[in-house]
Amino acid sequence: MTAMVIDGKAIAAELRKEVAKGVEQLVATGTIPPGLATVLVGVNPASQTYVRMKRKACAEVGIESFGYELPVDTSQEDIEKVVKELNADPKVHGILVQLPLPAGLDEEAVLKAISIEKDVDGFHPLNIGRLAQKGREPLFVPCTPAGCIVLLKKAGAQLEGARAVVVGRSNIVGMPAALLLVKENATVTICHSRTRDLPSVCREADVLIAAIGRPEMIRGDWIKPGAYVIDVGVNRVDDPSRKRGYRLVGDVAFEEAVEVAGAITPVPGGVGPMTIAGLLRNTLHSAQRTVA
Ligand code: NDP
């Protein structure tokens, strides 16, 4: 069997188009455009790139972005002060504090300072708490896990009643992905570094989400024939044949898995593009909520 390869790039492009249309409709009613504030502390090159990509994506769909770049030695008090000012700014509908923060800053306290109405990353403890509770709905859901669910649905996966396995339990990917699958009525197993006999747990999965950060760890013979496989991992491996000296691979051994799975996301071009598209959608929803 050769799996259907889920085209995250195309699905994200579709989502971005819908966001652009939504922004246009909103602005046509005479209100200000949606606004996203990005807060970057320090000079982590990867974080700088992510923030740049997010601001560029905003511009492409008509969302205004406001960049705040704070020095690496910013105090806890000062970063929370910036967040509180942004909470009160009516031009700002979403606040994104780029993680990780420099060592010594209390990440949870910073995330908690963001108004839940502007928490477009969905990491505020209240939004995460609501995600975990039956009958409660968060105002925003974290973008990468939300993207995984969109890709599964677009690929035709039946989530209700499915056996789902999530490998990884991080706050930003694994755990919220598992909570979202529970909301979709899947039966969910969460695996991590202490899980015993991971291959046999994975083999039970109709839906497998890998969010580990280990290149090609999940092998083809860990996958149930016909399963839906979502590979969140982004790992650099040396590749002297490439000009830049490396290539990106996921947490799943794609060439093996594609022979067994029913559908699978590639890396790159699978989950990655969905993250920024989700952020744009969340910012639009926040702006729409202010005029509703
Ligand atoms: P973390 O390092 O925060 O979490 C990794 C998880 O994998 C942990 O729960 C850890 O277990 C588990 N794990 C590690 N080793 C093993 C092992 N040998 N067996 C089983 N489980 C293991 O990573 P993130 O969740 O932040 O990211 C995961 C991957 O997703 C990374 O490659 C990252 O680059 C990528 N990513 C991609 C995004 C995108 O495409 N937009 C966005 C965010 C992340 P334990 O809890 O026990 O330590």
Side-chain angles (χ1 to χ4, degrees):
M1 182 199 287
T2 303
M4 168 176 74
V5 177
I6 305 170
D7 188 347
K9 229 168 141 181
I11 295 169
E14 216 177 281
L15 192 58
R16 283 187 190 214
K17 247 193 228 159
E18 283 167 26
V19 172
K21 207 165 136 201
V23 171
E24 207 180 296
Q25 285 167 348
L26 186 72
V27 173
T29 66
T31 62
I32 56 168
L36 175 72
T38 58
V39 181
L40 178 64
V41 189
V43 287
N44 177 332
S47 295
Q48 286 172 325
T49 304
Y50 290 138
V51 167
R52 209 171 29 244
M53 283 164 66
K54 288 168 186 175
R55 296 194 63 196
K56 183 168 170 268
C58 281
E60 282 166 9
V61 296
I63 292 177
E64 201 165 343
S65 71
F66 310 96
Y68 290 78
E69 290 182 13
L70 309 179
V72 68
D73 57 356
T74 304
S75 68
Q76 183 75 26
E77 200 185 345
D78 284 348
I79 175 170
E80 289 187 29
K81 191 164 159 255
V82 169
V83 167
K84 281 176 190 151
E85 281 165 12
L86 294 171
N87 284 343
D89 186 340
K91 294 192 297 303
V92 171
H93 302 93
I95 302 170
L96 178 146
V97 176
Q98 186 64 42
L99 302 178
L101 290 172
L105 289 172
D106 180 346
E107 180 183 297
E108 193 187 356
V110 173
L111 295 177
K112 216 167 135 188
I114 298 173
S115 151
I116 61 161
E117 274 89 19
K118 298 190 180 187
D119 175 38
V120 285
D121 252 344
F123 295 148
H124 189 290
L126 250 178
N127 276 324
I128 291 287
R130 286 184 184 178
L131 185 61
Q133 287 182 318
K134 198 176 153 92
R136 306 266 161 82
E137 290 301 329
L139 291 176
F140 300 100
V141 169
C143 303
T144 303
C148 296
I149 303 295
V150 172
L151 292 177
L152 284 167
K153 288 185 175 172
K154 291 269 184 192
Q158 288 299 318
L159 298 178
E160 178 151 344
R163 289 296 306 267
V165 171
V166 180
V167 189
R169 56 176 167 181
S170 72
N171 290 341
I172 60 167
V173 192
M175 188 56 75
L179 294 171
L180 280 170
L181 286 166
V182 172
K183 279 226 189 288
E184 296 289 338
N185 296 317
T187 301
V188 183
T189 302
I190 302 171
C191 301
H192 43 77
S193 64
R194 321 281 167 84
T195 297
R196 277 194 214 124
D197 195 3
L198 185 61
S200 66
V201 183
C202 290
R203 269 181 219 115
E204 289 175 12
D206 303 313
V207 170
L208 178 64
I209 296 185
I212 315 163
R214 312 252 164 199
E216 301 180 321
M217 193 181 96
I218 295 188
R219 311 309 307 185
D221 64 358
W222 298 21
I223 291 167
K224 181 174 174 176
Y228 288 80
V229 179
I230 303 291
D231 189 354
V232 185
V234 182
N235 309 289
R236 278 184 184 193
V237 294
D238 292 342
D239 185 347
S241 74
R242 304 278 172 110
K243 210 168 137 196
R244 55 188 181 183
Y246 68 88
R247 69 195 153 88
L248 295 179
V249 299
D251 291 339
V252 178
F254 184 86
E255 296 305 333
E256 295 174 18
V258 78
E259 298 301 326
V260 189
I264 185 167
T265 58
V267 176
V271 176
M274 296 301 289
T275 301
I276 291 186
L279 175 70
L280 301 175
R281 185 207 43 215
N282 282 355
T283 306
L284 171 63
H285 286 174
S286 178
Q288 286 170 329
R289 205 176 282 133
T290 58
V291 293

